[in-house]
Amino acid sequence: MTTEAIPSTQLQTESKRHIARTLVDADVHNSVNDISELLPFLSDRWRTYIQQAGFKSPEFSRYIRLYERAARRDSFPPNGAFPGGDQEFAREQLLDPWGIDAAILCPLYPVSDLHNLDFGSALARAVNEWTATIWLDKDPRWRGSIVVNTGDPLAAAEEIRRAGRDPRFVQVLLIARAPAPYGRRQYRPMLAAASDMGLPLGIHFGGEHGGAITATGCPSYYIEDHTGMPQAFEAQVLSLVAEGVFETFPSLRVALIEGGFAWLPALMWRFDKNFKGLRDEVPWLQKLPSEYIREHFRATTQPMEEPPNPQHLLQILDMIGRDDFLMFATDYPHWDFDAPDRALPSILPADIRAGIMAANAEAFYDFDRT
Amino acid sequence: MTTEAIPSTQLQTESKRHIARTLVDADVHNSVNDISELLPFLSDRWRTYIQQAGFKSPEFSRYIRLYERAARRDSFPPNGAFPGGDQEFAREQLLDPWGIDAAILCPLYPVSDLHNLDFGSALARAVNEWTATIWLDKDPRWRGSIVVNTGDPLAAAEEIRRAGRDPRFVQVLLIARAPAPYGRRQYRPMLAAASDMGLPLGIHFGGEHGGAITATGCPSYYIEDHTGMPQAFEAQVLSLVAEGVFETFPSLRVALIEGGFAWLPALMWRFDKNFKGLRDEVPWLQKLPSEYIREHFRATTQPMEEPPNPQHLLQILDMIGRDDFLMFATDYPHWDFDAPDRALPSILPADIRAGIMAANAEAFYDFDRT
């Protein structure tokens, strides 16, 4: 096993990084409690539209999640806000007790599922301004993800260039299940904007846009919805690599958030094998698909894959071929929260563990950009 | 690593098995060259229908496969038939030179994609009679798969009970990508028929029914279509287990054909972990999802996953937890044919190799039922 993780001591010597972080949480969910919270960030046109229609929220699922708002029961703030809906409560329940030095907010407000494209884009911008005002302004440990309306990639590009000027936003948030995979040409302007702004894509668990959520239709249960989510990540990785995105945007990086990672070796092997027989179809690729994957992708840990034999986890990391591939995440406040002190099996060597808990995310995200 | 494979010597002592097979090919494709070949097996009604409409074939793909008919160039018979379209040529090119003792035919005639359900069911039955007459009658080494129209599960059940009376048919052939996963209730009569007849399901690579072929829409290229195929298998495994199919049909077995297998450990770990939090949703499950998978599923080898470090393959088998999980297949006559002498890496111990090449399929399929 190679040791490509950057030791945390080295980080202190890098001039652009000011803080030695030992615990980074790469996936925390802040929630809009009510559409009224977004009204200050919307134009008169959309305020009228919302009020006239009685619009409450784009959130909707045909899968019943067993846990209300997919949340830990103890994460409902006493003031009646949603889990992740009260900045102070989240700070007190997550950041302070666990000693988290930086936490990336991923608001799962599904603006891209709305058919009215301008409304979706207006909501995306409103959510980003809300995140900046209600969360990032309140505690320097929070970092933001830029919500975009992928239904209108040109508008998404514009929002990335606007919101990305605020250095507290560290990635562009995309949802794993979309009507088309993100390597498809229609998304190029959006990817160009992310690349130009030096922002990675964060592809996050989720998406229920109306089409089938698996390669073979819609399953019946949330356990299938949730367990089957890596399928969308597999399709996204395939698409971004096969379409030559990383030849067009050589510095673009992608975080796979809440989709697991143990499925990656199988995908890399099949992809490389097929590439040998089918490379004529994708002549822009200059190297093996697995090389693009190793270079451009990282994954968050939660939900941590937990083989009964923990040795198997080390083997998977060895197959992936990068010790710095994983970035720790809690997924607070969701029901399948991974606690920082228990998420990683004890079999992991100390340097790999330190990398996962902070250094890998520090190397991937620019938490201190100005 | 445990050794659960049945040694081939033991097979000879089992009274119901008459032939000691050392090489079994679990995936060979016989092809209908022209609709005229099926006319003798269709009623007047459908013969008129076909002729009036000028119907040629249900075969269709929006992915251009780079290789004509997805075939090895040397598999086109000199008489102008399709690859896999000439029984004698296939016998001479595949069975004889490689010394294959039994080969399972999987005709990929996509009858389930047709919207006219009665026509699809009539074609399914015709293909099965054609397989019996044109292939199984000609060489005792061939075994058949029952083609069914999954668009009409009641008709599919009827066809399984009809065709299954011919003991040369050893499985029910299902296509991985369907409009709904096969655990869904609508398919129960079809699964009941397979279970009653003692026939395993063989879920095979493929399917283009009109809906998206991944969890996130349609990718652009055949390399993505092909490399992404395990997604459909993942959804099928999830569905069959989550819906309690193996509690309803405890003896039902499933072969995963041409979908790979290295993705299974990741799925089992995520599934088991989610089961701990979500078991209330699927109260009929009596054990861990991974236990159903290990007990009821097997996979064919081709396309063999080829990690650059062959040790990783042994690790994957260890994670799957059954040495008898894999069954050798060539996928003749397709372009990505795996040769019997080169498909398996030399690192595999002799007993495991012998199991993969014949004994595992012998234990899974009943090649000598009467």
Side-chain angles (χ1 to χ4, degrees), chain A residues 67 220 222 226 243 274 277 281, chain B residues 67 220 222 243 274 277 281:
Chain A
Y67 300 97
S220 308
Y222 177 50
H226 192 295
E243 301 265 8
N274 277 341
E281 196 186 25
Chain B
Y67 300 97
S220 308
Y222 177 51
E243 300 265 8
N274 276 341
E281 195 187 25

Side-chain angles (χ1 to χ4, degrees), chain A residues 28-321:
Chain A
V28 175
H29 299 292
N30 54 334
S31 276
V32 174
N33 296 286
D34 189 274
I35 190 70
S36 63
E37 295 178 13
L38 297 182
L39 295 181
F41 309 108
L42 289 162
S43 69
D44 280 348
R45 177 185 172 198
W46 298 119
R47 276 199 289 267
T48 306
Y49 185 79
I50 285 166
Q51 280 154 357
Q52 184 171 322
F55 176 82
K56 300 292 181 205
S57 166
E59 293 173 300
F60 163 81
S61 178
R62 286 200 173 87
Y63 291 98
I64 313 305
R65 291 192 185 128
L66 277 201
Y67 300 97
E68 190 181 347
R69 293 197 63 83
R72 278 168 50 176
R73 294 208 176 91
D74 67 349
S75 69
F76 286 80
N79 65 4
F82 285 156
D86 181 322
Q87 187 275 142
E88 209 170 299
F89 184 82
R91 186 169 61 184
E92 285 166 13
Q93 189 171 47
L94 179 70
L95 300 187
D96 294 344
W98 291 108
I100 290 170
D101 300 308
I104 303 176
L105 299 167
C106 297
L108 300 176
Y109 205 66
V111 299
S112 304
D113 293 347
L114 294 166
H115 296 308
N116 182 329
L117 292 178
D118 290 335
F119 183 48
S121 298
L123 283 179
R125 177 177 174 144
V127 170
N128 294 329
E129 296 196 22
W130 168 87
T131 289
T133 308
I134 306 296
W135 289 75
L136 305 183
D137 284 356
K138 300 292 169 25
D139 193 296
R141 290 169 292 182
W142 299 124
R143 290 294 181 282
S145 302
I146 300 174
V147 170
V148 293
N149 175 16
T150 56
D152 185 346
L154 296 171
E158 200 178 316
E159 177 59 11
I160 290 165
R161 293 180 198 278
R162 187 201 66 78
R165 286 199 301 268
D166 180 340
R168 299 172 302 177
F169 284 95
V170 297
Q171 72 182 347
V172 174
L173 187 63
L174 302 178
I175 301 303
R177 288 179 182 145
Y182 295 124
R184 294 272 291 180
R185 297 282 163 77
Q186 69 214 61
Y187 296 117
R188 243 13 107 85
M190 186 176 84
L191 304 191
S195 175
D196 289 349
M197 300 299 287
L199 290 166
L201 310 176
I203 301 183
H204 190 283
F205 179 107
E208 197 175 337
H209 52 80
I213 64 159
T214 83
T216 184
C218 283
S220 308
Y221 304 110
Y222 177 50
I223 191 171
E224 298 173 87
D225 170 38
H226 192 295
T227 312
M229 189 59 72
Q231 294 165 45
F233 286 87
E234 290 164 38
Q236 296 292 4
V237 171
L238 284 170
S239 175
L240 290 167
V241 173
E243 301 265 8
V245 162
F246 303 109
E247 288 296 330
T248 309
F249 308 112
S251 64
L252 188 66
R253 292 155 298 138
V254 185
L256 306 172
I257 307 173
E258 205 177 329
F261 51 87
W263 46 268
L264 256 172
L267 182 142
M268 291 195 287
W269 299 334
R270 191 173 174 112
F271 205 176
D272 282 356
K273 183 172 182 174
N274 277 341
F275 182 64
K276 286 170 195 161
L278 301 171
R279 62 190 308 160
D280 289 352
E281 196 186 25
V282 284
W284 42 79
L285 296 189
Q286 300 298 312
K287 37 190 179 183
L288 283 174
S290 63
E291 295 179 67
Y292 291 104
I293 294 172
R294 285 200 181 88
E295 184 179 336
H296 293 272
F297 289 85
R298 299 292 181 273
T300 62
T301 54
Q302 190 282 336
M304 190 72 186
E305 277 133 340
E306 292 174 12
N309 175 355
Q311 192 69 38
H312 289 161
L313 189 69
L314 291 180
Q315 292 170 354
I316 291 286
L317 286 179
D318 187 43
M319 293 171 190
I320 291 174

Side-chain angles (χ1 to χ4, degrees), chain B residues 141-158:
Chain B
R141 290 169 292 183
W142 299 125
R143 290 294 180 282
S145 303
I146 301 173
V147 170
V148 293
N149 175 16
T150 56
D152 185 346
L154 295 171
E158 201 178 314

